[in-house]
Amino acid sequence: MASIFTRIIEGEIPGSFILKQERWVAFLDINPVSPGHILLVPRQEVALLPELDGASLAETGAWLARLDCALRQVTGCAAVSVLLRDGPVAGQEVPHLHWHLIPRHSGDRAHHFASGSYASDEERERMRAALQAALDRVQG
Ligand code: 5GP
């Protein structure tokens, strides 16, 4: 059965997309640790980093850096937590490889990543659109 992220990528389940590229997509986490929390997901459905095809793997760093930059621009965050849970014992709940990019603010005490939510669909859409526009401005 397809993972929940494949179902989002294929449009079966709604997603707030910031990025749709040949090998990678990025969309907002439905339960953000803080507003703007992004998931960077390969289209290839593999659970673990070592299973990822070489071409996708080669692009990972560039997409992470661009998304990090867009997040800083849009949220004004002081830092970004970039996190990969590479297997269930590391806390991975969705068995489809994904990087978390979490905006961090001074004193947020979010080291344990308690999940929150968006106040409304409109608020989430504003965040999605702002991040997508910022990403377009960030050089690859
Ligand atoms: P993990 O624990 O596997 O590292 O993270 C899975 C993440 O996927 C969680 O942060 C969770 O909020 C997010 N998530 C789970 N289901 C959905 C969904 O249907 N849509 C979106 N956008 N995010 C989801």
Side-chain angles (χ1 to χ4, degrees), residues 4-5 8 13-16 27-32 37 39 85 91-95 98 100 115:
I4 191 151
F5 290 166
I8 291 171
I13 296 174
S16 298
F27 48 83
L28 293 176
D29 194 294
I30 201 166
N31 291 126
H37 179 170
L39 300 174
R85 296 182 171 120
Q92 185 186 37
E93 290 183 356
V94 176
H98 54 282
H100 296 257
S115 298

Side-chain angles (χ1 to χ4, degrees), residues 5-69:
F5 290 166
T6 293
R7 294 169 69 200
I8 291 171
I9 290 167
E10 290 180 351
E12 194 184 320
I13 296 174
S16 298
F17 284 92
I18 294 143
L19 172 75
K20 285 183 181 175
Q21 285 291 321
E22 185 186 345
R23 297 188 180 85
W24 289 93
V25 303
F27 48 83
L28 293 176
D29 194 294
I30 201 166
N31 291 126
V33 172
S34 69
H37 179 170
I38 291 170
L39 300 174
L40 175 65
V41 184
R43 288 183 186 272
Q44 187 192 15
E45 187 179 323
V46 294
L48 303 178
L49 188 60
E51 299 167 347
L52 191 62
D53 70 79
S56 300
L57 189 61
E59 293 178 0
T60 311
W63 286 124
L64 285 172
R66 284 183 70 182
L67 288 165
D68 183 310
C69 198

Side-chain angles (χ1 to χ4, degrees), residues 64-82:
L64 285 172
R66 284 183 70 182
L67 288 165
D68 183 310
C69 198
L71 262 187
R72 287 172 195 267
Q73 286 180 19
V74 169
T75 68
C77 61
V80 178
S81 288
V82 180

